[in-house]
Amino acid sequence: MIPVLSLVVLAAVIALSVVTKKNAGILAIVAAFLFSSFAAANGVEIAVSKIVSSGWPMSVFFIVLSTTFLFGIATLNGTTEVLSKNIACLSGGDARLLPILFFILGAIVSAAGAGGLIVAVIMPIALFVAVENNISALMMSLVTMGGIMVGGLSPLAINGIVAKQLAEEQGLYNYNTMWLAYGVSMTVFSFAAYFLLGGLKLKKMETRPSFERFDSRQLLTLAAILAVLFGVIFFKQDIGLMCFSCAGILLLLNAADQKKAIASIPWATILLIGGMAVLINVVKTCGGIDFLADKLSNVMGPRSAQPIFVILGGLMGAVSSGTGVVMPTLIPLASQLSAELGTVSATRLITGVIVGTNGVVISPLSTVGGIAVGSAPESVDKDKLYNQLLLAAVSFILLNALASALGLFYVFG
C-alpha cells in the first residue's frame, strides 16, 4: 500500500503545482516530510530527519548554481546579448536556422567529449537567442538538448563510454548500431518539436544582423566561457567548479556588480529542482519506483520486452543516474533476459535501455533538463517550462515505446 500511496502523492504534488501555480519544490518538500513521517509510522525504514540531506541533488544544485552565476555575470555586462547577436549572424538573418544551428553545435561539442553537461554552457546562450528572436523557449530547449544528447552518447563522451563498455561486457561489440538507434529517435523527436512548435513559421529578421565587437569586460567574460569549454572538453575538469571559479575571477576583475550577479541566480528554480528530487527520493525509498518496475517486468514477453525496457529505462533514469545506476543495472539484466527468452536479441533489449534511459534526460527532474530550466532568462515562465519539459520527457518515452512495439527499432538489430 505504501508504494502505491507514494506514487499518488507524487502525482498529486505535480497536479497541485500546475493548478495553483505554486512552486512545486516547496510543495514537494512539505509532501516529502508529511509522507515520510506517515511511512515511518507504518513500518518503512526511512529517516525522516535526513530526507533532505539524502535526497537533495547536490551535484545538480551546484552545477545549476555555478553556471547561472557565471552566465548571470555574462548577462549583466552584455556578453550574452552580444554573443547571441553574433551567433545569429551565422543564420544570415533567417531565424528558422537558429534552433538547427544550436542542435548541430550541441551535437559536435558533446560528441567531442564534453558530454551532456555541456548543456550548462550552451543552453543559456541558446535561450537568450530564442528570447531575442521570439522563438519558443520550449522548442529551443528541446532542439538544443536533443543535439547535445545525440552527441552525448558518442563513444568519446561519458554516457557513450559507459554504455559501450557495458555492452561489450555482455559480448556485444556493435555499440555504434545502438547509438544510431538512439540518435535517430532523439533527432526525430527534436525536429518534430521544431516543426510542431513553429520552427518553419519563424520570420526572417527585418535587418540582417552584423557582427558586434565585444568591450573589455565582455572579452574577459567570453574568455571565461571559453576556458570552461576547454577545461571540460580537453582536461576533463568539473564543469561546476570551472564555472564557479571563472565567475569568482570575473568578479575580482570587476566584470560585473557582485550583488546583482548573486541576485541573478534563479533561486526559485533551484528550489523547484531540489524539492522535487527530495520527494522522488522518498518515493523511491518507500518502494514506489520498484513497484512500477516490478509490475512492468511481470508482463514482459518476447514482443513486449523492448518497449518495457524503454519504459523501465525512462522511469529509473528519471530518478537515478543513468550513467552510474540505470545502465549498469539494466544492460546486464537485458542481456540475461535475452538469453532466457531466446526469441529476442540482446542488442534489441539493450537498445531499449539506452533509448529510455538517455531520452528521459530532457525532463527537468534530470541534470540536463534541470539546467535547461535554470538557464532560462527572466522573461521565460520557468514553472511553465518545467511542466512542459516534464510532459515532453513522458511523451518521448511513450512514443519510443510505441515505436518499439510497432517494430520500428528492428532495423537496428
Side-chain angles (χ1 to χ4, degrees):
M1 179 181 177
I2 295 293
V4 176
L5 286 177
S6 69
L7 294 170
V8 171
V9 169
L10 175 61
V13 166
I14 294 172
L16 186 61
S17 69
V18 172
V19 172
T20 64
K21 308 298 182 185
K22 302 300 181 184
N23 188 300
I26 296 173
L27 299 177
I29 292 176
V30 173
F33 172 51
L34 295 176
F35 187 78
S36 61
S37 299
F38 170 78
N42 284 273
V44 177
E45 292 186 10
I46 182 170
V48 178
S49 62
K50 296 182 179 179
I51 59 171
V52 174
S53 61
S54 63
W56 191 269
M58 283 303 300
S59 177
V60 178
F61 164 75
F62 187 68
I63 290 172
V64 174
L65 170 68
S66 57
T67 54
T68 54
F69 186 26
L70 174 60
F71 278 91
I73 293 172
T75 299
L76 285 170
N77 65 24
T79 305
T80 309
E81 181 179 0
V82 176
L83 186 59
S84 69
K85 288 179 179 178
N86 290 339
I87 289 175
C89 290
L90 298 175
S91 70
D94 191 345
R96 294 174 298 181
L97 297 178
L98 291 172
I100 298 172
L101 285 172
F102 278 101
F103 180 93
I104 295 171
L105 174 66
I108 292 172
V109 174
S110 61
L117 290 183
I118 205 65
V119 69
V121 177
I122 296 175
M123 189 59 75
I125 301 168
L127 289 177
F128 195 93
V129 169
V131 170
E132 287 291 296
N133 294 280
N134 296 315
I135 299 171
S136 162
L138 174 62
M139 185 252 281
M140 184 64 92
S141 297
L142 291 175
V143 173
T144 304
M145 281 193 287
I148 289 170
M149 290 315 301
V150 168
L153 266 291
S154 136
L156 299 177
I158 182 62
N159 282 28
I161 291 170
V162 170
K164 184 175 184 287
Q165 179 181 338
L166 289 168
E168 289 180 352
E169 287 174 1
Q170 306 306 314
L172 300 173
Y173 296 90
N174 57 339
Y175 173 71
N176 285 343
T177 301
M178 304 176 200
W179 177 30
L180 178 62
Y182 172 75
V184 169
S185 67
M186 181 56 83
T187 300
V188 169
F189 185 82
S190 300
F191 279 87
Y194 173 81
F195 291 119
L196 292 173
L197 296 172
L200 291 180
K201 295 180 181 178
L202 296 173
K203 299 178 180 179
K204 287 194 173 184
M205 305 169 198
E206 292 182 6
T207 304
R208 182 168 177 166
S210 56
F211 185 82
E212 188 171 327
R213 291 185 177 276
F214 296 94
D215 64 26
S216 59
R217 295 195 307 168
Q218 292 164 355
L219 284 172
L220 283 172
T221 308
L222 188 60
I225 294 171
L226 291 174
V228 171
L229 280 171
F230 275 88
V232 172
I233 295 173
F234 298 109
F235 300 101
K236 308 303 178 186
Q237 295 296 308
D238 181 272
I239 194 167
L241 289 173
M242 283 293 296
C243 285
F244 201 92
S245 298
C246 287
I249 292 170
L250 286 174
L251 288 183
L252 285 173
L253 296 173
N254 295 315
D257 180 85
Q258 177 179 283
K259 289 184 178 180
K260 291 181 179 178
I262 294 173
S264 71
I265 297 171
W267 298 106
T269 302
I270 289 173
L271 180 59
L272 174 69
I273 296 166
M276 285 299 294
V278 169
L279 177 57
I280 288 171
N281 190 59
V282 168
V283 171
K284 185 179 180 182
T285 303
C286 292
I289 303 302
D290 289 340
F291 173 82
L292 273 180
D294 182 61
K295 291 302 179 184
L296 287 171
S297 62
N298 286 340
V299 298
M300 193 175 291
R303 183 75 178 178
S304 62
Q306 190 188 51
I308 288 174
F309 268 108
V310 172
I311 295 172
L312 272 176
L315 285 173
M316 293 179 65
V319 298
S320 303
S321 166
T323 305
V325 177
V326 184
M327 289 196 291
T329 300
L330 292 185
I331 286 179
L333 175 63
S335 179
Q336 179 184 341
L337 183 63
S338 170
E340 292 176 2
L341 292 174
T343 54
V344 58
S345 71
T347 295
R348 190 170 296 173
L349 296 188
I350 293 173
T351 297
V353 174
I354 290 173
V355 170
T357 304
N358 295 284
V360 79
V361 298
I362 61 175
S363 159
L365 300 176
S366 76
T367 304
V368 172
I371 291 171
V373 175
S375 300
E378 286 301 316
S379 58
V380 174
D381 185 337
K382 295 186 181 183
D383 287 335
K384 182 179 179 181
L385 182 60
Y386 183 97
N387 293 329
Q388 289 173 329
L389 289 178
L390 192 61
L391 179 60
V394 172
S395 300
F396 179 90
I397 298 303
L398 293 179
L399 287 171
N400 278 280
L402 177 61
S404 173
L406 294 174
L408 300 183
F409 282 104
Y410 289 5
V411 67
F412 301 105

